[in-house]
Amino acid sequence: MECQKGMKQSTPWSGSDALHPTKSSLSAYDQNEREHLFYAAEDRRDDPKESFQLINSVLREQYDQWNTLCDVGCAAGDFLYYMQQENGQRDGLTGIDSFDELLNTAKERVPECRFLKGDIWSGEGLPTDKFDVVCMSGVLSLFDDFKKPFEHLIKMTKPGGKILVFNPFNSRGCHVEHHYKINGELGRIVICSHQEIGQWLKERGFMYEFIPFQIKSKLEENHENPLRTFTVPLKNGTNGIVNGVGIWFEQYLLKIDMMEEIPDEIL
């Protein structure tokens, strides 16, 4: 089943987060460039996100022998700071982002980690070395198609390693594209389905799991920026996650297990 919601447009507008999918749309790139200032100003070192804790708990339960980790879309380095505090430096923590200001902030906050300028969509600037664990949080919804960034994530991960993607996913078989306009500027948030990603991974022989995320803390609405998410209490005592654009988010941690021997045609 293929469902689409929102106004159909031919222009490749992007959403808003740490990485940009393409520079073919200058206005979309400019929007992302302005949006990254939010992440440069935010500091979660003393208040780690619950998604950080979920990722760390999954690694401790299923893959505690990891030594190298890369965070794609690292923003100001808060996740790497958390992982360093919880696990030590191990053999190396690396962060990748597209924006110099975010990378400069990350280098100041977490000087022990390595930070590189790179683009997970085009592959430009990505490191040639491979990692035991590659994480990507809140970035996938920027892209028209998940396949291109997933191919790069696979290339960056060692055989037998783990790929962890934290993002909204649709569990009902719908590929959803939300189009919006804020202060005259167009944007888009793409939400891929479990089914389309699962089929693509199965065809290539990967084992995977969508781990549900249920936020416990309360997030206040940011009236100045409708793209920011906030929580609403539900009758069952849990919290739902929405944003000011009117999007309801189902959030999951997608865990992909790399094969011990990866066929050349996959890479």
Side-chain angles (χ1 to χ4, degrees):
M1 178 173 63
E2 187 78 2
C3 305
Q4 292 239 345
K5 179 180 179 181
M7 181 176 60
K8 194 71 176 169
Q9 295 190 16
S10 59
T11 307
W13 304 108
S14 70
S16 58
D17 216 295
L19 297 183
H20 58 82
T22 174
K23 294 184 182 179
S24 62
S25 170
L26 183 59
S27 57
Y29 178 71
D30 288 345
Q31 176 187 328
N32 283 331
E33 196 163 18
R34 287 190 295 274
E35 186 71 13
H36 85 273
L37 297 174
F38 171 86
Y39 296 96
E42 184 182 50
D43 189 344
R44 299 298 297 265
R45 285 176 293 177
D46 295 328
D47 182 25
K49 296 180 179 180
E50 291 180 37
S51 59
F52 297 175
Q53 299 169 30
L54 174 61
I55 293 171
N56 191 48
S57 66
V58 168
L59 287 176
R60 285 187 172 178
E61 292 172 5
Q62 302 186 23
Y63 193 52
D64 195 41
Q65 67 269 31
W66 69 270
N67 285 306
T68 58
L69 181 148
C70 181
D71 182 25
V72 177
C74 65
D78 291 339
F79 171 67
L80 290 179
Y81 176 84
Y82 172 78
M83 294 299 289
Q84 183 186 65
Q85 296 301 304
E86 293 291 314
N87 302 280
Q89 189 66 15
R90 301 212 176 188
D91 286 346
L93 301 176
T94 299
I96 297 172
D97 207 280
S98 290
F99 293 108
D100 291 327
E101 183 168 352
L102 288 173
L103 291 169
N104 291 335
T105 302
K107 290 173 184 178
E108 293 176 359
R109 293 181 181 176
V110 202
E112 301 86 0
C113 297
R114 177 178 64 158
F115 292 97
L116 305 172
K117 186 172 183 177
D119 189 328
I120 195 63
W121 176 259
S122 68
E124 182 180 354
L126 298 181
T128 56
D129 47 330
K130 295 180 181 290
F131 303 88
D132 297 317
V133 179
V134 177
C135 301
M136 186 171 73
S137 297
V139 174
L140 189 62
S141 290
L142 287 172
F143 304 120
D144 299 336
D145 188 357
F146 69 88
K147 300 180 189 69
K148 209 170 182 179
F150 269 41
E151 288 170 354
H152 289 132
L153 293 175
I154 290 169
K155 289 178 181 178
M156 293 170 61
T157 310
K158 291 180 181 179
K162 305 287 183 188
I163 298 172
L164 299 172
V165 180
F166 182 80
N167 208 76
F169 294 99
N170 185 284
S171 64
R172 296 170 176 82
C174 295
H175 177 97
V176 184
E177 297 182 6
H178 297 273
H179 296 259
Y180 58 84
K181 183 186 288 186
I182 300 175
N183 296 325
E185 295 184 358
L186 294 171
R188 181 174 66 184
I189 296 175
V190 178
I191 300 178
C192 298
S193 71
H194 290 201
Q195 288 79 356
E196 63 180 321
I197 290 177
Q199 181 179 351
W200 188 86
L201 291 171
K202 284 179 183 177
E203 289 172 352
R204 286 153 183 79
F206 289 102
M207 300 292 291
Y208 68 93
E209 179 184 5
F210 284 94
I211 302 170
F213 172 73
Q214 182 61 61
I215 192 168
K216 298 177 182 178
S217 58
K218 180 181 179 181
L219 302 179
E220 299 292 339
E221 182 175 2
N222 185 330
H223 294 281
E224 296 181 358
N225 190 338
L227 291 176
R228 302 271 67 80
T229 55
F230 60 94
T231 54
V232 292
L234 304 178
K235 289 183 178 180
N236 63 3
T238 62
N239 291 318
I241 303 174
V242 299
N243 69 3
V245 180
I247 304 174
W248 183 274
F249 293 100
E250 292 181 87
Q251 292 186 311
Y252 294 84
L253 177 63
L254 170 59
K255 178 178 68 71
I256 304 171
D257 300 324
M258 292 290 288
M259 294 165 274
E260 293 292 343
E261 295 186 9
I262 303 174
D264 292 338
E265 57 267 25
I266 293 180
L267 299 175

